[in-house]
């Protein structure tokens, strides 16, 4: 049961009565609902401050003593609540803080003098009523953010968060946000707006310009009581980041440059640009392209190391005779696309090609002719001529031998007719794989003559101009029961003019030796005809090729006084 009474100081406090004793009442006690006691936090007192009074109906016939147990009484924080043991009045000794603890559960006890418990213990709870005693606080004193200068209206920049320690879901903790100030107030006072409930800050107007206003400082406020109560503040520092809102521009609208013809990778021009965006950023770095005037890919353009220069070079040698001028249109953009629609800057480059004395050009550069190796001296080999690329100069072309390893050739100075100077030989060491290579020069009559070269390859056809020879020059043999010796025949001529070979002995050798061809007709089998005295002998062998070209060859034979195959001299 709960009722109210006025204390001596006229403070009205609730009275809580223990349920009546008895079996039936004990059953009802389980259904007994004891209302919570309430105390407003931060009450100014005076203290001790009465909270309520506990009573037992047995106090009419007995002396009753009252007490409480639980947190804040006999448990930490000990002594925060006390009870007058005679009157049952519950006191609080100091102001409460809901944010520290919002309720205190106790058990109330009634004990009869001299006879123990007069009542079963009673559960009571003191609830602390919230007051708006905490102002909102931001989770940081300064918020740092970035906003791109090309951000559209409504773009979310940053979110600020504040909290309030007062009781949730009440006006005491219901926060609203507002912007207090903006510095600088340019280009308008309201460049940003904050959502009053979420704390999200968005772009509110156009005109962000990193180059003019690189940073904004905002002061934001968070106030409880739906924005009308206690307030806290924080700073928001926004750095305006670069967007590609400035197009690069050439320092000059047109350029004129000259370059010699035929030079590859010649750096001919450096074009400078400017850009209002942040230096050395992708929005500032320049990128160049040749958009017209170079269908043949004669030029290249690349960005210089400082990212603000376009360097034009020749990708191929220019030809004055084909075109003496080239007009290029060069465009410049940035490494990243423009953030807003911007015009693309262009510049005109006029390249003048300067004529230089070019060397005569052989056609073909490498010429192959087939000739017999025994071509007679002063016979014509071939006329090998070059053309003069400098058509405007009307020059005269002349010829000379630059490299002729064997000295076999002449060339007519004015006509380029090449003739035989000395007999050629396919078997010469200067011939490789039947081919003899000479280098012919053609030069003009300029003040500083230019010489072009052509390669003449003469493929020599073989003729039978070499008799067979015997490779071995000296032999040793026993004079008794000697073993036959095999001599090797070689011929410098090709297969059509070599084996099969034939052999015959000449002079005294016919009476001392026997010579015949082996079964392959490529080697000579030599035997002693009769036993000879030991000593030195000259064997004369006449060897002929398959066309009968023959020549006598000599072999020095040492005859030793021995028997059989093992020659011991």
């Amino acid at each position: 049961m709960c009722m109210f009474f006025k204390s001596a100081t006229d403070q009205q406090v609730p009275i809580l009565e223990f349920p009546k004793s008895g079996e039936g009442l004990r059953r009802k006690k389980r259904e007994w609902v004891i209302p919570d006691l309430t105390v407003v936090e931060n009450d100014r007192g005076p203290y001790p401050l009465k909270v309520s009074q506990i009573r037992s109906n047995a106090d009419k016939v007995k002396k009753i003593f009252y007490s409480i147990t639980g947190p804040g009484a006999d448990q930490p924080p000990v002594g925060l609540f006390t009870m007058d043991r005679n009157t049952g009045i519950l006191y609080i000794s100091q102001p409460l803080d809901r944010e520290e603890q919002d309720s205190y559960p106790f058990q109330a006890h009634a004990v009869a003098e001299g006879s123990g418990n007069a009542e079963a213990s009673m559960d009571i709870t003191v609830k602390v009523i919230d007051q708006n005693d905490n102002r909102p606080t931001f989770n940081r004193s300064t918020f740092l953010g970035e906003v791109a200068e090309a951000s559209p209206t409504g773009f979310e920049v940053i979110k600020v968060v504040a909290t309030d320690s007062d009781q949730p879901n009440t006006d005491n903790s219901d926060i609203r946000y507002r912007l207090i100030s903006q510095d600088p107030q340019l280009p308008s006072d309201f460049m940003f707006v904050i959502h009053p409930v979420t704390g999200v800050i968005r772009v509110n107007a156009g005109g962000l310009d990193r180059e003019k206003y690189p940073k904004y400082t905002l002061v934001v406020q968070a106030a409880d009581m739906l924005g009308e109560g206690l307030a806290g503040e924080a700073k928001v520092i926004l750095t305006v980041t670069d967007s590609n809102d400035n197009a690069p521009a050439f320092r000059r609208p047109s350029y004129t440059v000259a370059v010699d013809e035929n030079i590859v990778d010649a750096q001919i021009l450096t074009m400078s640009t400017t850009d209002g965006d942040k230096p050395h950023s992708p929005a500032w770095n320049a990128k160049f392209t040749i958009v017209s005037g170079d269908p043949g890919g004669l030029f290249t353009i690349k960005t210089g190391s400082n990212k603000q220069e376009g360097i034009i070079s020749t990708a191929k040698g220019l030809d004055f005779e084909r075109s003496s001028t080239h007009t290029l249109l060069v465009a410049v953009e940035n490494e990243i696309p423009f953030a807003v629609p911007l015009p693309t800057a262009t510049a005109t480059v006029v390249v003048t090609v300067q004529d230089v004395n070019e060397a005569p050009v052989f056609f073909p550069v490498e010429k192959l002719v087939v000739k017999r190796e025994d071509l007679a001296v002063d016979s014509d080999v071939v006329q090998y001529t070059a053309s003069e690329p400098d058509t405007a100069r009307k020059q005269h072309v002349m010829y000379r031998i630059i490299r002729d390893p064997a000295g076999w050739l002449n060339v007519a100075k004015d006509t380029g007719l090449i003739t035989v100077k000395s007999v050629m030989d396919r078997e010469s060491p200067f011939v490789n794989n039947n081919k003899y290579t000479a280098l012919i020069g053609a030069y003009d009559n300029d003040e500083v003559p230019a010489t072009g070269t052509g390669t003449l390859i003469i493929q020599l056809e073989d003729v039978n101009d070499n008799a067979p020879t015997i490779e071995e020059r000296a032999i040793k043999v026993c004079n008794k029961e000697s073993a036959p010796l095999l001599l090797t025949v070689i011929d410098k001529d090709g297969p059509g003019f070599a084996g099969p070979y034939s052999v015959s002995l000449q002079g005294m050798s016919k009476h001392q030796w026997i010579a015949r061809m082996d079964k392959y007709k490529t080697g000579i089998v030599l035997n002693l005809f009769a036993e000879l005295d030991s000593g030195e002998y000259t064997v004369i062998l006449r060897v002929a090729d398959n066309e009968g070209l023959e020549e006598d060859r000599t072999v020095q034979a040492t005859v030793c006084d021995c028997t059989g195959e093992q020659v011991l001299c």
Side-chain angles (χ1 to χ4, degrees):
M1 181 177 180
C2 179
M3 63 184 73
F4 291 87
F5 79 96
K6 286 188 177 181
S7 65
T9 58
D10 294 328
Q11 179 184 0
Q12 193 177 47
V13 295
I15 300 175
L16 301 180
E17 293 189 353
F18 285 92
K20 295 181 179 181
S21 60
E23 182 64 24
L25 290 178
R26 279 198 296 272
R27 286 197 298 269
K28 289 182 180 179
K29 180 176 183 294
R30 290 195 292 268
E31 302 172 1
W32 190 278
V33 178
I34 305 298
D36 291 338
L37 301 174
T38 59
V39 176
V40 177
E41 68 171 333
N42 305 318
D43 195 310
R44 295 184 178 180
Y47 291 92
L49 179 69
K50 298 181 181 66
V51 177
S52 70
Q53 185 176 19
I54 308 299
R55 285 191 59 190
S56 171
N57 289 328
D59 65 357
K60 298 176 182 178
V61 295
K62 300 177 184 178
K63 176 63 176 175
I64 301 298
F65 297 104
Y66 301 95
S67 65
I68 57 172
T69 59
D74 62 341
Q75 299 175 23
V78 177
L80 183 60
F81 291 89
T82 60
M83 178 167 282
D84 189 304
R85 66 191 302 267
N86 296 313
T87 64
I89 296 175
L90 178 65
Y91 292 95
I92 182 173
S93 61
Q94 64 185 49
L96 300 180
D97 185 352
R98 187 203 69 84
E99 287 71 46
E100 185 173 321
Q101 186 167 337
D102 61 356
S103 66
Y104 296 86
F106 303 109
Q107 283 192 321
H109 309 278
V111 178
E113 185 177 26
S115 62
N117 288 339
E119 304 282 0
S121 60
M122 179 173 59
D123 295 328
I124 60 175
T125 299
V126 176
K127 301 281 286 186
V128 184
I129 298 176
D130 186 40
Q131 284 190 322
N132 190 18
D133 60 340
N134 289 280
R135 67 181 60 251
T137 58
F138 287 91
N139 56 4
R140 65 188 69 173
S141 61
T142 301
F143 294 83
L144 302 178
E146 293 182 345
V147 56
E149 59 183 338
S151 299
T153 301
F155 177 79
E156 181 177 332
V157 179
I158 195 172
K159 180 178 181 179
V160 296
V161 177
T163 56
D164 195 306
S165 299
D166 291 319
Q167 186 172 345
N169 303 317
T170 67
D171 287 352
N172 291 344
S173 61
D174 199 346
I175 295 172
R176 295 293 183 269
Y177 299 94
R178 65 166 59 95
L179 284 178
I180 301 300
S181 65
Q182 168 193 304
D183 181 33
Q185 295 179 343
L186 296 169
S188 67
D189 294 349
F190 304 103
M191 294 298 295
F192 304 94
V193 65
I194 190 169
H195 192 283
V197 177
T198 64
V200 171
I201 297 176
R202 298 179 183 274
V203 176
N204 190 49
L208 290 172
D209 190 338
R210 183 199 65 84
E211 290 74 33
K212 293 182 180 179
Y213 319 112
K215 187 172 292 186
Y216 286 90
T217 300
L218 310 178
V219 177
V220 294
Q221 182 191 78
D224 57 23
M225 302 299 289
L226 299 175
E228 301 300 326
L230 301 176
E233 293 183 354
K235 283 185 178 181
V236 178
I237 299 176
L238 299 179
T239 299
V240 181
T241 60
D242 191 35
S243 294
N244 195 9
D245 58 349
N246 292 280
F250 287 100
R251 292 185 182 273
R252 293 170 53 188
S254 62
Y255 299 82
T256 301
V257 65
V259 60
D260 288 344
E261 63 176 333
N262 303 322
I263 302 178
V264 181
D265 293 331
Q267 183 175 315
I268 61 176
L269 178 64
T270 299
M271 311 169 72
S272 297
T273 60
T274 60
D275 195 308
D277 292 311
K278 182 180 180 181
H280 308 293
S281 69
W284 181 85
N285 296 341
K287 183 176 67 175
F288 301 87
T289 53
I290 299 173
V291 295
S292 67
D294 185 26
L298 301 176
F299 301 90
T300 61
I301 187 166
K302 64 180 181 180
T303 303
S305 59
N306 66 357
K307 300 296 185 179
Q308 286 281 282
E309 292 179 342
I311 301 172
I312 298 180
S313 302
T314 56
K316 303 175 183 178
L318 307 181
D319 189 345
F320 171 83
E321 285 71 29
R322 178 173 294 181
S323 178
S324 61
T325 60
H326 299 269
T327 302
L328 310 178
L329 185 64
V330 180
V332 61
E333 294 178 307
N334 295 120
E335 291 181 350
I336 59 174
F338 297 143
V340 295
L342 295 171
T344 299
T346 59
T348 302
V349 179
V350 178
V351 180
T352 300
V353 183
Q354 295 180 330
D355 188 23
V356 298
N357 184 27
E358 298 174 82
V361 178
F362 281 94
F363 183 81
V365 176
E366 186 175 278
K367 191 175 186 67
L368 174 67
V369 295
V370 180
K371 297 294 178 181
R372 286 172 56 93
E373 64 174 325
D374 61 348
L375 193 64
V377 174
D378 294 332
S379 297
D380 294 347
V381 177
V382 69
Q383 189 168 29
Y384 191 19
T385 58
S387 61
E388 175 56 63
D390 292 317
T391 55
R393 294 176 177 241
K394 301 187 184 302
Q395 293 172 324
H396 178 60
V397 178
M398 294 166 286
Y399 303 89
R400 61 188 176 91
I401 299 291
I402 293 180
R403 185 174 71 244
D404 177 17
W408 292 340
L409 303 174
N410 274 325
V411 64
K413 177 180 177 182
D414 294 321
T415 65
L417 178 63
I418 298 172
T419 57
V420 178
K421 178 181 177 182
S422 60
V423 177
M424 298 181 288
D425 184 4
R426 188 192 69 89
E427 292 72 41
S428 166
F430 297 108
V431 176
N432 183 21
N433 196 24
N434 299 332
K435 294 178 180 177
Y436 179 73
T437 302
L439 193 64
I440 312 301
Y443 59 98
D444 56 34
N445 58 347
D446 194 86
E447 291 182 3
V448 181
T451 300
T453 59
T455 301
L456 176 63
I457 301 174
I458 305 174
Q459 182 169 319
L460 295 172
E461 293 182 329
D462 192 23
V463 297
N464 195 10
D465 58 346
N466 290 280
T469 62
I470 297 172
E471 187 172 291
E472 291 79 11
R473 308 305 300 163
I475 60 173
K476 290 183 180 183
V477 65
C478 286
N479 59 2
K480 294 182 285 292
E481 298 180 11
S482 61
L485 299 173
L486 182 63
L487 304 180
T488 304
V489 180
I490 57 176
D491 194 320
K492 292 182 180 179
D493 293 320
F497 305 110
Y501 303 107
S502 60
V503 63
S504 63
L505 291 164
Q506 302 298 313
M508 290 299 295
S509 300
K510 289 190 286 184
H511 306 294
Q512 298 170 337
W513 304 85
I514 298 173
R516 61 180 174 85
M517 300 303 302
D518 65 4
K519 65 178 180 178
Y520 303 108
K521 304 295 184 181
T522 58
I524 298 173
V525 180
L526 184 65
N527 286 84
L528 274 175
F529 178 72
E531 183 177 330
L532 296 177
D533 295 334
S534 60
E536 298 292 333
Y537 297 85
T538 298
V539 183
I540 303 173
L541 298 161
R542 180 170 294 172
V543 186
D545 61 24
N546 63 2
E547 284 197 341
L549 183 61
E550 60 186 14
E551 190 169 314
D552 291 347
R553 304 295 180 182
T554 59
V555 176
Q556 297 301 315
T558 301
V559 178
C560 302
D561 189 9
C562 58
T563 302
E565 294 183 6
Q566 188 171 4
V567 180
L568 297 174
C569 294

